[in-house]
């Protein structure tokens, strides 16, 4: 084959590879089209509509709509019920994030060890994650009932308790009860998440540390915890987003009470928009809530990635 013929063949092969690569890339991108359409229709379009309605006095039914400027946004930070919903939502999100993490990691370490009935113990701890939060709330509403018929009050009374405790009727106890039930319902699921990462840590690390004389706590702080950083990032992100959008558990346990003590942002949006007919105000709350969640989620992921790079 002459030099000219070889050059022509090489050029044709190169062109064929470029064409094939372009077609492969286009085929891969085509799979994203349905997802992009769903994202635009179900998220971007409603968000844009809510942003528009947040500047109006739209009540959700009438076609008589007036532009009110920033009046709805100003009212968000002066209405006591909306501020109460914001306060408890942040308290719940931080509470379950810290509480679940402090329980799930030691629990996963314990469940990772060999002992009789280990699989049964894993199933027992994972079970609270199976029912929905609404079901858990209804069950715990019976257990924590402030009446004499409440299961917990009955047990306390038999052991000499000082009368029925208002678990869901006092402000502080109601908030604590909702957060504790939330931690109880989520700790097992996140322990399983940590358990999956624990099983991927090479056992040779612990054998070498044992030979060097490292104690159990030292192995946990120097080996286990640093290598669990990716799992911690995922767990923290899921817990924070779950806590910020919580609705079913406080609604089933307390209905938002007593007063507005356990009122959440999502409940505020539903009550303000649907029950009270202030659709514009509810839209403003939804816009602020969405932007707040986005900022917190991006900040958390960025911070955790920085920590993950430093550890690894």
């Amino acid at each position: 084959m002459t030099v000219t013929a070889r050059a022509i063949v090489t050029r044709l092969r190169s062109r064929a590879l470029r064409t094939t690569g372009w077609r492969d890339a286009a085929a891969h991108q085509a799979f994203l089209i349905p997802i992009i359409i769903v994202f635009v229709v179900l998220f971007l379009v409603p968000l844009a509509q809510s942003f528009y309605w947040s500047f109006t006095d739209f009540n959700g039914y009438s076609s008589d709509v007036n532009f009110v400027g920033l009046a709805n946004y100003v009212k968000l930070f002066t209405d006591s019920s909306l501020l109460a919903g914001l306060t408890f939502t942040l308290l719940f999100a931080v509470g379950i994030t810290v509480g679940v993490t402090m329980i799930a990691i030691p629990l996963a370490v314990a469940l990772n060890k060999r002992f009789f009935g280990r699989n049964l113990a894993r199933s027992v701890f994972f079970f609270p994650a199976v029912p929905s939060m609404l079901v858990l709330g209804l069950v715990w509403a019976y257990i924590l009932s402030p009446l004499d018929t409440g299961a917990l009050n009955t047990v306390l009374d038999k052991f000499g308790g000082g009368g029925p405790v208002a678990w869901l009727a006092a402000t502080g106890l109601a908030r604590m009860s909702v957060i504790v039930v939330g931690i109880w319902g989520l700790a097992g699921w996140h322990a399983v998440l940590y358990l999956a990462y624990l099983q991927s840590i090479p056992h040779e690390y612990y054998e070498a540390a044992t030979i060097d004389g490292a104690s159990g706590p030292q192995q946990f702080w120097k080996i286990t915890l640093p290598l669990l950083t990716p799992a911690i990032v995922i767990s923290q992100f899921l817990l924070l987003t779950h806590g910020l959008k919580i609705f079913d558990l406080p609604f089933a346990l307390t209905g938002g009470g007593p007063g507005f003590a356990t009122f959440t942002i999502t409940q505020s949006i539903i009550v303000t928009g649907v029950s009270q007919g202030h659709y514009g105000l509810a839209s403003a709350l939804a816009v602020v809530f969405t932007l707040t969640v986005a900022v917190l989620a991006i900040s958390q992921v960025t911070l955790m990635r920085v920590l993950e790079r430093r550890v690894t």
Side-chain angles (χ1 to χ4, degrees):
M1 184 181 294
T2 63
V3 176
T4 304
R6 288 178 179 175
I8 293 174
V9 171
T10 303
R11 188 180 304 169
L12 290 175
R13 286 178 177 175
S14 178
R15 183 180 300 174
L17 288 174
R18 286 200 300 270
T19 303
T20 304
W22 179 85
R23 288 177 179 174
D24 290 342
H28 295 161
Q29 299 300 325
F31 285 103
L32 296 176
I33 294 176
I35 300 173
I36 294 173
I37 293 175
V38 171
F39 180 76
V40 171
V41 173
L42 298 184
F43 181 75
L44 291 184
V45 172
L47 181 62
Q49 288 180 326
S50 296
F51 186 71
Y52 169 74
W53 295 125
S54 68
F55 294 103
T56 69
D57 61 353
F58 183 46
N59 60 10
Y61 307 101
S62 174
S63 59
D64 184 16
V65 178
N66 300 308
F67 183 75
V68 297
L70 296 175
N72 289 328
Y73 289 94
V74 173
K75 191 174 182 179
L76 289 181
F77 299 99
T78 57
D79 189 293
S80 59
S81 64
L82 299 180
L83 287 177
L86 176 63
T87 301
F88 179 70
T89 301
L90 293 176
L91 183 65
F92 181 82
V94 174
I96 65 165
T97 301
V98 175
V100 169
T101 303
M102 293 180 65
I103 294 176
I105 293 179
L107 180 61
V109 173
L111 294 177
N112 194 38
K113 298 183 181 301
R114 295 182 180 276
F115 60 89
F116 177 76
R118 182 177 65 173
N119 292 334
L120 177 61
R122 290 177 178 178
S123 302
V124 170
F125 283 108
F126 183 73
F127 174 75
V130 177
S132 68
M133 281 292 177
L134 182 63
V135 175
L136 293 181
L138 294 174
V139 172
W140 277 93
Y142 165 72
I143 297 174
L144 299 175
S145 173
L147 303 177
D148 293 337
T149 55
L152 185 55
N153 279 336
T154 302
V155 173
L156 292 177
D157 184 58
K158 288 185 177 180
F159 285 94
V165 180
W167 298 105
L168 304 177
T171 300
L173 284 175
R175 287 178 170 174
M176 184 193 70
S177 300
V178 174
I179 294 173
V180 169
V181 174
I183 293 172
W184 177 81
L186 295 170
W189 191 93
H190 285 266
V192 173
L193 174 66
Y194 287 119
L195 185 61
Y197 275 84
L198 281 174
Q199 293 178 349
S200 66
I201 299 176
H203 192 65
E204 289 77 9
Y205 292 174
Y206 296 102
E207 292 178 349
T210 303
I211 294 173
D212 291 339
S215 62
Q218 288 176 327
Q219 293 182 20
F220 174 78
W221 291 108
K222 299 295 183 181
I223 299 176
T224 303
L225 196 59
L227 293 179
L228 277 181
T229 303
I232 295 174
V233 172
I234 296 173
S235 176
Q236 301 283 299
F237 179 78
L238 293 176
L239 287 170
L240 186 61
T241 53
H242 177 84
L244 290 174
K245 65 182 181 182
I246 189 67
F247 169 75
D248 42 9
L249 178 61
F251 184 76
L253 265 178
T254 63
F260 296 106
T262 57
F263 217 56
T264 61
I265 291 180
T266 49
Q267 190 173 354
S268 299
I269 294 173
I270 295 173
V271 171
T272 305
V274 179
S275 302
Q276 300 177 357
H278 301 307
Y279 198 87
L281 180 60
S283 297
L285 183 58
V287 170
V288 172
F289 177 57
T290 303
L291 294 177
T292 303
V293 173
V295 170
L296 289 176
I298 293 173
S299 301
Q300 186 196 25
V301 171
T302 303
L303 177 62
M304 288 298 177
R305 283 182 176 175
V306 171
L307 294 176
E308 187 177 357
R309 289 195 193 101
R310 289 184 178 181
V311 171
T312 56

